[in-house]
Amino acid sequence: MKTMFALMAMTGLAIATNVSAQQAMDPHMAGMEHAAQPADAQGVGVIKAVDTTKGTVTLQHEAISAMGWPAMTMVFKVASPDLLSAAKVGDRVHFGLRPSGMGGTVTSIMPAN
C-alpha cells in the first residue's frame, strides 16, 4: 500500500513539473490553462499554412478573449477536411473553435469582410 501511495505521489509531481516546464518554454501560453474553456469560441485571423495531409490549418489569430488567449500563431486540427478546400494562405478569416486544453479544433472557416 505504501508503494502505491509513493507511486501516486511521484506521478503527481511529474505531471506538475511537466506543466511548469511547458509554461516556462512558451511565455505566450502562460496562464492559458487557467482560463475557463467555453463550449465554442470564435476567432479572427490570417491563414498562414494549410496541410490537407495532416488535416491542419495554421492561423495567426487575434486575441480570443473568451478563452483568455493573446494574439499568436497556432496550428489547429480541423473538424472536417472539407473546411480546408476553400482555405487559402493569406486569407483573413473568421473561424469557429472547439477548445481542448491549450489548443482546439477548428469547426468552421469563413472569409472575413
Side-chain angles (χ1 to χ4, degrees):
M1 194 65 143
K2 288 181 182 180
T3 303
M4 185 171 87
F5 287 123
L7 180 59
M8 289 171 57
M10 289 177 12
T11 301
L13 179 60
I15 290 170
T17 302
N18 187 33
V19 169
S20 295
Q22 287 174 351
Q23 290 171 349
M25 286 188 278
D26 191 346
H28 297 290
M29 304 294 269
M32 286 178 43
E33 71 284 351
H34 299 295
Q37 297 291 310
D40 286 304
Q42 301 296 313
V44 177
V46 175
I47 297 175
K48 292 299 189 177
V50 175
D51 189 330
T52 55
T53 304
K54 292 182 181 178
T56 61
V57 61
T58 303
L59 293 165
Q60 180 181 8
H61 64 77
E62 297 175 5
I64 303 176
S65 59
M67 297 177 66
W69 287 5
M72 66 182 112
T73 302
M74 296 177 69
V75 178
F76 294 100
K77 287 278 192 189
V78 293
S80 168
D82 296 338
L83 294 173
L84 299 178
S85 62
K88 304 280 187 276
V89 172
D91 286 352
R92 184 170 169 76
V93 296
H94 291 278
F95 61 95
L97 185 65
R98 183 181 320 121
S100 177
M102 291 174 45
T105 300
V106 171
T107 57
S108 65
I109 300 175
M110 298 163 282
N113 296 333

